[in-house]
Amino acid sequence: MTKILAIDTSCDETSGAVTEGSRVLSNILWSQASLHSKWGGVVPSLAKRAHQERIGWVINRALKVSKLTPSEVDAIAVTVGPGLAIALEVGIQKAKELAMKYNKPLITVNHVEGHILSVFAETPKHKVNISFPAIALVLSGKHSDIVLVKDFGSYEIIAYTIDDALGEALDKAARMLGLGYPGGAILEKMAKMGNANKYGLPIPMMGKESRFVFSYSGLKSAMWRLVENEKPLTKEKIYDLAASFQDKAFKHVERLLIKVLDKYKASDFLFGGGVSANLEIRKCIRGLCKERGVKFHIPYTKNTCGDNAAMIGVASYFKYKKELFVKPNDLDEVERIPRARVDSLFPWEH
Ligand code: KG4
Ligand code: ZN
């Protein structure tokens, strides 16, 4: 079975993984969250330096855990976009070096495709059975995308965000409440203790769901005004504000998904990205799928919900089978594509 050493440095996690087919042999993550937290968001120059410092370590560790040497893998895979340009460069540079040194084919992967296919990641205890067409929902710090998956490598974007991504909006709300960065997971904890109906925040795009876009700027502004009015914040207020914001933010996803599931008939639903770790939104979407007889899939562990290299390894396996390699002579053509779209090929794949 094909063994792949995969790398992702698209944002603020430095990650290396080894996969065998769609099985994850190792998935090593070095989070930069604490480095960026005091700035309330990712600082590109700090991210780049931290990736440079850690990349060698995560790759060695991923190989060690999988008990393989670089000569024993069949290919090197790397994220080339979308993501932070100077962060992506670090992983790409390393992947090219390894491909040349060990004479291995290089596979370039779209980060959103990685999140979509992250649900295919298997372990000895977790087997996956997915059919197409499928609907994929990627909710992360940078993306709110709904994608029709016709086959591996064949994607149609159904919905996208016109301003903030959901994870980004959750992070900003958490910041308004003084909860730190990244805030999605902390907001979830606070929300559990609060009353979602205490405050009258708006559900974004109410009645306009057939436009098939996400938008969080209005909800974010309303939250900002509300938080300012409620200051000084008590614990109880924070719980209720967190619950209210999360509830309205998720209702927007739910209402849009109902439209999508009614329009596009799919057998399976794939949910990935950092926000897919949230139990509340999982429960809601699982319910929607169940009512419609659609099989619901999530990544097998929290580490494969957010940014990680295992999903890049899994996604690259399907490209490996189609021999979508970068030819040795074309290695120089490979570069970061910060705004890469999941429905398009990379220039060197044409
Ligand atoms: O996929 P990811 O690691 O990075 C991007 O590709 O952007 O997603 C990170 C996002 C952050 O906004 C973070 O707050 C959010 O995922 N997140 C969560 C949870 N865990 C992480 N949001 C809601 N609930 C969670 N439990
Ligand atoms: Zn991501």
Side-chain angles (χ1 to χ4, degrees):
M1 191 55 102
T2 315
K3 298 182 186 68
I4 294 175
L5 171 62
I7 298 170
D8 186 285
T9 61
S10 58
C11 189
D12 59 350
E13 311 272 348
T14 315
S15 182
V18 179
T19 50
E20 182 172 22
S22 43
R23 244 184 84 186
V24 180
L25 302 184
S26 62
N27 188 24
I28 309 298
L29 293 162
W30 187 281
S31 170
Q32 302 175 4
S34 59
L35 182 68
H36 301 291
S37 64
K38 66 169 176 256
W39 306 102
V42 179
V43 182
S45 56
L46 294 181
K48 177 183 174 166
R49 185 150 25 106
H51 283 311
Q52 285 169 328
E53 281 167 12
R54 294 293 164 202
I55 185 120
W57 184 86
V58 297
I59 290 171
N60 288 340
R61 184 92 197 118
L63 287 164
K64 194 164 178 208
V65 171
S66 68
K67 300 192 175 69
L68 292 171
T69 62
S71 325
E72 287 169 316
V73 302
D74 300 287
I76 312 289
V78 67
T79 303
V80 295
L84 214 55
I86 58 174
L88 289 163
E89 271 170 12
V90 180
I92 296 170
Q93 177 64 29
K94 191 74 185 172
K96 283 185 185 176
E97 266 169 44
L98 290 167
M100 275 188 289
K101 182 166 175 196
Y102 296 99
N103 193 25
K104 302 289 175 188
L106 180 73
I107 305 171
T108 47
V109 180
N110 179 297
H111 183 77
V112 173
E113 181 177 28
H115 278 305
I116 292 172
L117 300 182
S118 62
V119 295
F120 282 87
E122 294 190 315
T123 69
K125 284 192 192 142
H126 178 86
K127 298 278 174 239
V128 176
N129 185 5
I130 295 173
S131 323
F132 298 126
I135 302 282
L137 172 67
V138 176
L139 297 177
S140 73
K142 291 280 167 297
H143 309 281
S144 294
D145 289 322
I146 305 178
V147 177
L148 177 66
V149 185
K150 298 171 197 159
D151 200 348
F152 295 112
S154 177
Y155 309 107
E156 182 185 323
I157 299 171
I158 297 174
Y160 55 90
T161 178
I162 51 171
D163 41 60
D164 283 6
L166 173 55
E168 190 179 359
L170 295 171
D171 290 343
K172 285 179 181 161
R175 198 173 169 203
M176 292 176 207
L177 298 175
L179 299 175
Y181 171 87
I186 315 165
L187 201 76
E188 179 182 18
K189 272 198 200 124
M190 300 293 131
K192 249 186 225 140
M193 296 183 277
N195 172 3
N197 298 316
K198 180 74 186 284
Y199 297 105
L201 285 169
I203 298 174
M205 304 294 286
M206 264 285 263
K208 296 186 199 148
E209 287 79 8
S210 41
R211 279 182 59 196
F212 284 17
V213 291
F214 289 102
S215 170
Y216 284 103
S217 61
L219 175 60
K220 207 176 60 185
S221 309
M223 178 71 168
W224 188 82
R225 288 191 297 270
L226 180 59
V227 171
E228 287 303 302
N229 272 337
E230 291 299 316
K231 277 181 178 171
L233 299 177
T234 59
K235 263 190 188 161
E236 281 63 36
K237 282 186 185 177
I238 292 178
Y239 298 157
D240 291 340
L241 285 162
S244 302
F245 186 88
Q246 193 187 262
D247 179 61
K248 302 301 178 294
F250 290 176
K251 285 229 163 77
H252 178 24
V253 178
E254 181 182 7
R255 295 175 62 93
L256 182 48
L257 276 182
I258 291 172
K259 290 272 177 203
V260 167
L261 289 167
D262 287 346
K263 180 166 175 190
Y264 296 88
K265 298 293 164 226
S267 57
D268 292 57
F269 190 95
L270 326 177
F271 185 21
V275 183
S276 70
N278 186 294
L279 299 183
E280 196 59 36
I281 198 165
R282 278 184 181 181
K283 196 169 90 190
C284 162
I285 302 174
R286 185 179 280 120
L288 288 181
C289 288
K290 201 169 171 201
E291 282 161 22
R292 291 161 178 79
V294 175
K295 272 165 67 193
F296 177 70
H297 306 270
I298 45 168
Y300 73 87
T301 153
K302 278 198 176 177
N303 273 355
T304 34
C305 290
D307 287 350
N308 70 93
M311 69 183 192
I312 302 306
V314 170
S316 70
Y317 171 53
F318 300 105
K319 296 188 103 167
Y320 185 96
K321 284 202 283 196
K322 290 186 197 159
E323 298 189 11
L324 275 171
F325 309 130
V326 182
K327 297 171 202 83
N329 285 345
D330 294 345
L331 272 185
D332 281 349
E333 268 185 55
V334 173
E335 55 174 9
R336 71 225 181 1
I337 307 194
R339 291 174 185 275
R341 289 176 59 105
V342 73
D343 55 355
S344 322
L345 294 173
F346 298 125
W348 50 89
E349 288 179 335
H350 286 290

